[in-house]
């Protein structure tokens, strides 16, 4: 299989699916009796059990990430007065196709950190014309800003979650828009990159930024010469830990014992730890590795298992940026490392295993700029979107919820073996070694009756054995490296592209955005309870069939125990045009809150219960650019059972499901609309919640190559305006009266 390339305008390099397994579609279970009993009486948490989540944007108020110790049983203090319920308090922003950022009256959105901005003393301002010195890009903002966390920092340069005026802002740079990085886009001659300096820029523009940010008056800026500023990119050395570390699967010419690799890329959503480090997640990494149809001769050098793994992970293209094609190679194989071919006498003589060194959750300690990032292999290898930390309770295991964003992929969780000890706050990478290298990896099965099961991915269980006829698992490393194949064996439920995960700090409910899917990946006969819609969302005269608007599934682990092996679920919210039919616009969205393709999602710490939703959409873009919405969700089971009638124009089928209560404008409002051809992704808040950091990714990215010669034809010029090239950038949003954002 040769995957399409950027030259094919219909192909989205971040929208892939490679799951051929026959895992359950609930058609088999369609006759199952639906029961709502499980949705009643879902008291979450036991008396005195404190819940706190800390994924994604970080920050936090009044103690932020710090764990809360269950109080002693007696004497019982008088019950505190219940906090006033949150109320959205802004006028919804209208949908817009303008090349601007729009926020409600009473708010100010300022640009903080743009593609190319310098983060070290002596680095010149970014000219933004493709001529900046490639050697400086390891000290400039990367491209495609994505998942992001604010780590408050005190005067002793230590983590202080509640800090409202100073912090380290850590963010992913997922990918690049090559059109705007070089004098005239990428120079490609006969399928070969011929300008090594262009590739050098691209190596540096992927990865992660750490920048120090400070508040002065009511405005924020980053400190160009801070000693904490750092770029982690595709050349940064990192080590492996967990079951796959130092195994044959990870041996390369660069690391003959399989202990390390270089770089991270396609860093999409993010996550945090209760000890104060950052997690960056490698999503669509497979496309960067070169394995073309022309390498058919290479197949004879590969085992059947290796070929199966290539196929299941979609390593099957020319390499999306053609990095492997640059000649001559460097002595340390900066280009050749992207070529998966068997070229040498053994794995330590080439990069036949290079692809195995990507697809991981990577831990970075932002407070230690010289620390080496670690790829935590116990959390499995797949198309990691994010890793949201669940409730943190002293004496209990830690849990991270994770989506695998490709069509028909799965939802996972990792549960630590060690129980949380608050003494590990500030423990850096050593704490990561304690909690993230040893634990249990599970994948989710959503059953038709509104319950679900966590299926363990471990050698010897759930068909994950050496006698598995699809893929014979050899050892623990094989299981985590080929986690998708293990999940296939376990019988996980195929989902409509799992993006971000978020945990409600008020009750522990877990939310997962399922951004969208198409008719070929989920035909009308393949809907199921947790992925229940099939419809045609007409865009102009074009059909968009399947589930092009996406939805958000919600679940609660039984007994509020993150280590539980079962859960209950419903669908919190469905994307749709407000004008769509009732069985499409199931959540009864209005002009004030309709949206499509949810992706970024994060619960505020300063205002527990306030949920932020971001869109990465191509379906509703005839009407509006992508957006940020504020939500006040209820809880699992606040709606009820529902039968949805699906139609593709000729066939009509019904689908049983469970849906959340329709939000109305009290529960969901559009807060921000971005510039043209962007996605909204990445969100964080200062320690007091009075500054909201939001990323605008890839404005104008679909500008046709033929139009690059005429700047007036660029789809977007944001944020500089005029005829400037567009730039991904971080916004900081403040309320003009200094109050909490959105409330
Ligand atoms: Fe990188 Fe799934 O968005
Ligand atoms: Ca993206
Ligand atoms: Ca995303
Ligand atoms: Ca997306």
């Amino acid at each position: 299989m040769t995957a399409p390339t950027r030259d094919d305008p219909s192909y989205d390099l971040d929208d892939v699916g490679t799951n051929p397994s026959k895992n359950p579609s609930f058609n088999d279970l369609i006759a199952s009796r639906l029961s709502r009993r499980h949705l009643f009486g879902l008291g979450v948490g036991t008396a005195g059990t404190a819940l706190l989540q800390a994924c994604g944007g970080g920050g936090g108020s009044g103690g932020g990430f710090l764990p809360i110790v269950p109080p002693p049983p007696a004497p019982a203090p008088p019950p505190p007065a219940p906090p006033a319920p949150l109320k959205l308090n802004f006028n919804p922003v209208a949908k817009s196709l303008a090349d601007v950022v729009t926020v409600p009256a009473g708010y100010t959105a300022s640009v903080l950190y743009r593609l190319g901005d310098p983060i070290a003393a002596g680095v010149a301002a970014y000219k933004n014309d493709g001529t900046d010195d490639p050697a400086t890009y390891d000290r400039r903002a990367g491209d495609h800003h994505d998942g992001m966390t604010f780590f408050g920092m005190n005067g002793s340069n230590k983590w202080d979650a509640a800090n409202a005026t100073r912090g380290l802002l850590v963010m992913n740079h997922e990918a690049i828009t090559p059109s705007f990085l070089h004098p005239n886009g990428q120079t490609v001659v006969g399928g070969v990159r011929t300008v090594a300096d262009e590739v050098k820029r691209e190596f540096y523009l992927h990865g992660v930024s750490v920048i120090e940010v400070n508040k002065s008056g009511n405005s924020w800026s980053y400190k160009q010469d801070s000693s904490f500023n750092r770029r982690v990119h595709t050349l940064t050395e990192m080590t492996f830990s967990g079951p796959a570390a130092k195994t044959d699967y990870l041996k390369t010419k660069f690391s003959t014992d399989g202990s390390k690799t270089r770089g991270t890329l396609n860093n999409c959503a993010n996550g945090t730890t209760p000890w104060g480090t950052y997690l960056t997640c490698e999503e669509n990494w497979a496309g960067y590795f070169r394995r073309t149809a022309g390498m058919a001769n290479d197949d004879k050098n590969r085992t059947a298992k290796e070929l199966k793994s290539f196929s299941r992970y979609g390593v099957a293209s020319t390499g999306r940026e053609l990095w492997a094609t640059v000649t001559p190679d460097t002595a340390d194989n900066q280009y050749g490392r992207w070529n998966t071919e068997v070229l040498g006498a053994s794995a330590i003589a080439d990069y036949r295993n290079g692809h195995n060194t990507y697809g991981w959750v990577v831990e970075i300690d932002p407070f230690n700029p010289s620390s080496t990032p670690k790829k935590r292999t116990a959390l499995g290898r797949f198309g990691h979107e994010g890793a949201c930390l669940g409730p943190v309770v002293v004496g209990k295991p830690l849990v991270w919820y994770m989506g695998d964003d490709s069509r028909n992929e799965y939802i996972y969780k990792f549960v630590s073996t060690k129980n949380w000890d608050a003494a590990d706050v500030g423990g850096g990478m050593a704490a990561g070694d304690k909690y993230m290298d040893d634990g249990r990896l599970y994948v989710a099965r959503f059953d038709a009756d509104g319950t679900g099961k966590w299926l363990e991915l471990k050698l010897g269980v759930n068909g994950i054995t050496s006698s598995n006829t699809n893929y014979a698992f050899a050892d623990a490393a094989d299981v985590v490296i080929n986690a998708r194949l293990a999940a296939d064996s376990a019988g996980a439920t195929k989902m409509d592209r799992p993006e971000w995960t978020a945990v409600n700090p008020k009750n522990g409910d877990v939310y997962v955005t399922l951004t969208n899917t198409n008719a070929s990946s989920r035909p009308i006969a393949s809907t199921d309870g947790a992925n229940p819609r099939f419809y045609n969302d007409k865009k102009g005269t074009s059909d968009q069939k399947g589930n092009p608007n996406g939805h958000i599934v919600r679940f609660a682990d039984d007994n509020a125990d993150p280590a539980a092996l079962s859960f209950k679920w419903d669908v919190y919210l469905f994307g749709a045009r407000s004008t769509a039919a009732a069985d499409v616009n199931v959540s009864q969205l209005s002009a004030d809150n309709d949206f499509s393709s949810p992706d970024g999602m994060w619960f505020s710490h300063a205002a527990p219960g306030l949920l932020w939703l971001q869109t990465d959409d191509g379906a509703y873009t005839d009407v509006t650019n992508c957006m940020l919405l504020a939500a006040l969700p209820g809880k699992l089971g606040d709606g009820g059972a529902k039968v949805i009638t699906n139609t593709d124009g000729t066939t009509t089928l019904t689908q049983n499901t469970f849906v959340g209560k329709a939000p109305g404008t009290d529960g969901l409002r559009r807060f921000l609309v971005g510039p043209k051809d962007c996605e909204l992704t990445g969100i964080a808040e200062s320690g007091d919640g009075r500054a909201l950091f939001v990323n605008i990714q890839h404005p104008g990215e679909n500008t046709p190559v033929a139009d690059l010669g005429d700047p007036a034809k660029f789809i977007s010029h944001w944020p500089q305006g005029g005829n400037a090239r567009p730039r991904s950038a971080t916004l900081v949003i403040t309320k003009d009266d200094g109050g909490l954002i959105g409330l």
Side-chain angles (χ1 to χ4, degrees):
M1 180 176 83
T2 299
T5 67
R6 199 184 292 279
D7 300 334
D8 174 354
S10 69
Y11 188 67
D12 180 346
L13 292 164
D14 294 322
D15 179 3
V16 292
T18 55
N19 187 352
S21 75
K22 299 220 169 7
N23 273 4
S25 122
F26 293 141
N27 295 338
D28 311 335
L29 307 171
I30 208 160
S32 296
R33 293 186 56 181
L34 290 176
S35 165
R36 288 195 64 215
R37 276 177 301 168
H38 68 279
L39 293 177
F40 293 113
L42 281 175
V44 179
T46 52
T49 301
L51 296 176
L52 186 73
Q53 64 87 32
C55 68
S61 64
F65 297 66
L66 296 176
I68 301 171
V69 181
L86 299 181
K87 199 168 179 308
L88 299 181
N89 183 27
F90 61 90
N91 291 325
V93 169
K95 296 186 286 285
S96 168
L97 292 169
D99 195 27
V100 297
V101 168
T102 310
V103 291
Y107 288 87
T108 299
S110 307
V111 175
L112 178 77
Y113 183 58
R114 304 162 296 182
L115 160 68
D117 277 341
I119 63 163
V123 178
Y126 190 57
K127 296 203 287 276
N128 195 25
D129 61 2
T131 66
D132 295 277
D133 179 0
T136 65
Y137 279 65
D138 60 346
R139 286 154 288 147
R140 295 185 180 279
D143 203 355
H144 284 216
H145 303 34
D146 209 312
M148 173 169 59
T149 298
F150 176 90
F151 293 88
M153 185 163 70
N154 64 21
S156 304
N157 295 335
K158 299 294 186 201
W159 181 38
D160 169 19
N163 197 296
T165 58
R166 181 182 184 231
L168 299 178
L169 196 60
V170 188
M171 76 183 73
N172 295 339
H173 298 286
E174 182 180 31
I176 56 174
T177 305
S179 301
F180 300 120
L181 299 178
H182 312 303
N184 299 293
Q186 290 177 334
T187 308
V188 181
V189 180
V192 171
R193 297 292 301 273
T194 56
V195 181
D197 270 355
E198 292 178 2
V199 174
K200 177 178 276 193
R201 288 196 187 102
E202 296 173 15
F203 285 162
Y204 288 143
L205 285 166
H206 289 75
V208 176
S209 281
V210 181
I211 52 171
E212 181 182 338
V213 292
N214 291 279
K215 182 182 181 187
S216 174
N218 202 27
S219 71
W220 286 79
S221 59
Y222 78 90
K223 186 180 178 193
Q224 181 177 342
D225 61 353
S226 169
S227 61
F228 288 97
N229 292 350
R230 180 182 190 187
R231 283 298 319 286
V232 172
H233 46 70
T234 58
L235 298 174
T236 305
E237 190 167 312
M238 13 198 110
T239 54
F240 291 106
S241 64
K246 297 184 183 175
T247 63
D248 287 349
Y249 307 94
L250 300 182
K251 287 179 178 174
T252 59
K253 190 175 168 187
F254 176 73
S255 178
T256 56
D257 66 352
S259 65
K260 61 182 184 175
T261 188
R262 278 169 290 183
T264 186
L265 57 66
N266 218 269
N267 307 82
C268 197
N270 59 322
T272 53
T273 68
W275 51 93
T277 59
Y278 182 78
L279 303 177
T280 185
C281 303
E282 299 176 338
E283 189 194 24
N284 289 306
W285 50 272
Y288 292 81
F289 289 91
R290 186 173 179 85
R291 184 168 175 78
T292 66
M295 292 181 186
N297 283 339
D298 193 56
D299 289 1
K300 68 180 186 305
N301 298 319
R302 296 291 189 168
T303 64
K305 282 181 59 177
E306 286 178 304
L307 295 174
K308 178 79 75 171
S309 183
F310 276 131
S311 171
R312 189 63 183 81
Y313 282 87
V315 181
S317 76
T318 55
R320 63 186 274 179
E321 310 303 351
L322 299 170
W323 290 339
T325 66
V326 179
T327 55
D329 202 356
T330 61
D332 59 351
N333 306 114
Q334 288 184 21
Y335 312 115
R337 61 180 292 230
W338 303 102
N339 181 4
T340 62
E341 268 182 298
V342 171
L343 297 171
S346 72
I348 62 170
D350 57 27
Y351 291 88
R352 69 187 68 180
N353 289 331
H355 55 286
N356 285 342
T357 72
Y358 281 74
W360 304 105
V361 172
V362 185
E363 185 180 9
I364 297 171
D365 183 355
F367 292 90
N368 184 354
S370 63
S371 61
T372 302
K374 277 193 183 176
K375 299 199 176 192
R376 300 285 183 193
T377 68
L379 280 70
R381 173 174 164 266
F382 42 92
H384 277 285
E385 178 77 22
C388 180
L389 177 65
V392 175
V393 181
V394 168
K396 299 284 188 186
L398 299 174
V399 59
W400 284 267
Y401 297 96
M402 305 179 285
D404 178 357
D405 179 15
S406 284
R407 291 191 297 269
N408 288 327
E409 292 301 343
Y410 308 130
I411 295 168
Y412 298 78
K413 75 173 179 181
F414 174 81
V415 180
S416 68
T417 298
K418 299 280 195 323
N419 292 326
W420 173 241
D421 180 348
D424 289 320
V425 170
M429 304 300 282
D433 295 344
K434 177 177 175 182
Y435 295 102
M436 303 194 84
D437 290 344
D438 183 14
R440 294 173 184 263
L441 183 63
Y442 300 91
V443 70
R445 189 187 78 203
F446 290 77
D447 291 331
D449 63 356
T451 68
K453 289 274 185 294
W454 288 110
L455 309 166
E456 189 171 6
L457 305 183
K458 184 173 79 171
L459 194 68
V461 302
N462 291 319
I464 305 164
T465 65
S466 59
S467 55
N468 186 306
T469 54
N470 183 51
Y471 186 88
F473 292 91
D475 49 34
D478 203 3
V479 175
V480 292
I481 288 174
N482 290 289
R484 281 182 174 175
L485 287 158
D488 293 345
S489 172
T493 300
K494 295 175 174 179
M495 309 299 284
D496 290 350
R497 294 186 60 195
E499 298 253 23
W500 287 49
T501 42
V503 178
N504 189 338
K506 284 177 67 176
N507 56 25
D509 285 354
V510 184
Y511 291 70
V512 185
T513 46
L514 301 168
T515 194
N516 55 51
T517 195
N518 57 26
S520 60
S521 293
R522 191 180 297 280
I524 189 168
S526 295
T527 61
D528 60 41
N531 303 276
R533 286 187 307 170
F534 186 104
Y535 50 95
N536 184 9
D537 171 28
K538 278 264 192 190
K539 185 179 184 182
T541 56
S542 300
D543 287 337
Q544 301 183 116
K545 292 185 179 180
N547 178 21
N549 303 144
H551 58 286
I552 301 172
V553 75
R554 169 171 62 183
F555 57 86
D557 282 326
D558 284 346
N559 304 312
D561 175 8
L565 301 182
S566 54
F567 59 87
K568 318 276 188 310
W569 63 264
D570 68 7
V571 179
Y572 157 57
L573 192 65
F574 294 88
R577 294 173 195 252
S578 58
T579 52
D583 273 5
V584 178
N585 186 13
V586 177
S587 298
Q588 301 168 38
L589 304 180
S590 69
D592 290 335
N593 61 17
D594 61 342
F595 70 94
S596 174
S597 301
D599 188 341
M601 180 175 57
W602 180 72
F603 275 97
S604 168
H605 297 275
L610 173 62
L611 177 69
W612 293 102
L613 289 176
Q614 300 174 308
T615 67
D616 173 16
D617 184 45
Y620 201 11
T621 44
D622 52 337
V623 172
T624 185
N625 299 338
C626 287
M627 62 186 71
L628 169 70
L629 304 106
L632 296 173
K635 63 179 182 181
L636 177 79
D638 62 8
K642 180 160 180 80
V643 180
I644 293 177
T645 301
N646 291 317
T647 181
D648 65 1
T650 51
T651 305
T652 298
L653 293 172
T654 58
Q655 175 62 57
N656 295 335
T657 185
F658 300 92
V659 304
K661 181 184 170 196
T665 47
D666 286 346
L668 181 67
R669 274 180 211 183
R670 190 178 303 106
F671 182 83
L672 179 156
V673 178
K676 288 183 176 180
D677 206 16
C678 77
E679 71 172 271
L680 269 287
T681 186
I683 184 160
E685 66 189 8
S686 58
D688 62 357
R690 288 158 203 272
L692 191 69
F693 302 94
V694 172
N695 283 329
I696 303 288
Q697 188 186 93
H698 64 61
E701 75 161 350
N702 288 305
T703 299
V705 171
D707 288 348
L708 294 178
D710 181 357
K713 292 183 176 174
F714 297 167
I715 289 176
S716 172
H717 301 283
W718 191 87
Q720 289 175 248
N723 272 346
R725 296 175 174 204
R727 298 163 78 175
S728 293
T730 304
L731 297 173
V732 57
I733 299 168
T734 51
K735 197 172 183 180
D736 297 344
D737 68 4
L740 288 168
I741 311 300
L743 303 176

